[in-house]
Amino acid sequence: MYEEPATARLVEAFANTVDVELGTDDLSTPEQLTDWLVGQHLLARPHRADADDLALALRLRGGLRERLGVPVGDQPAAALLADADSALRELPLLATVGGAPPANQPAAPSDAGPTEGAEPARDADPDATDGAGAGPAAPEAAPVGGAGAGLVLVPAPGLPPVRRGLAGVAVAWSELVLAGDAARLKRCAEHECAWVFWDVSKNRSRRWCSMRVCGNRNKARRFAAKRAVAP
């Protein structure tokens, strides 16, 4: 069993703010973005997101969701990946030595209350993601190259509070990529679901967030298609 790190939980929660199956979006307004960042301990009130912050967040989320479909064999939309890359350029990161943000870079807010808005796992069966959205999200800083490496990624100094909070998602994604764990974070291959989950299988072979639901749904569809073309 491969335990999901805090960085993956944060990216997963961010990607799952949109629910394809239910047709809901938890980032429909700047106020909702504010609430999500506060709930993930990435922003402290009274700071608030505006329309430009929301547009930036949606560009980043759209590209991340496209990228997370690659491990299950989906072909990503190049335009969405480019939009996310453009968003990341507006959320620059800084590598520091010593495990602490620069003196003029505020640390992650410590006065936020209990985690709000963390996305739950899609179901509770053993094949579903374990602990998705449980506990506090990843901090604004993450070690590069594993514990004890002495190098830490942080949001670049000078970013406004909301952008610094969004940069926390960029920090988490960067750490997943650098640690070689990004391939375990996947978007469900069942397109009617498209829920993002953490693959706990040894060989990273899972394609559905739930074998019991989405896996069986996909198999039933393929079986029906074969019967339809049989003589």
Side-chain angles (χ1 to χ4, degrees), residues 4 7-18 60-77 80-81 84 169 172-174 176-177 181-191 194-199 204 206-209:
E4 184 176 17
T7 48
R9 292 199 301 271
L10 178 58
V11 177
E12 180 182 337
F14 182 64
N16 283 334
T17 50
V18 61
L60 177 59
R61 185 186 68 180
L64 281 174
R65 286 184 58 84
E66 283 297 291
R67 176 61 181 80
L68 296 175
V70 172
V72 298
D74 288 343
Q75 183 67 32
L80 292 179
L81 296 182
V169 178
W173 172 250
S174 299
L176 282 175
V177 172
D181 290 331
R184 287 195 177 276
L185 199 59
K186 304 177 179 181
R187 190 185 66 198
C188 184
E190 175 56 54
H191 291 170
W195 192 253
V196 172
F197 67 97
W198 177 255
D199 184 353
R204 306 182 183 187
R206 278 184 53 184
R207 302 185 68 246
W208 302 288
C209 65

Side-chain angles (χ1 to χ4, degrees), residues 5-11 37 40-42 108 134-142 165 168-169 171-173 175:
T7 48
R9 292 199 301 271
L10 178 58
V11 177
L37 290 171
Q40 296 294 333
H41 297 184
L42 294 173
E140 282 190 0
V169 178
V171 167
W173 172 250
E175 170 60 12

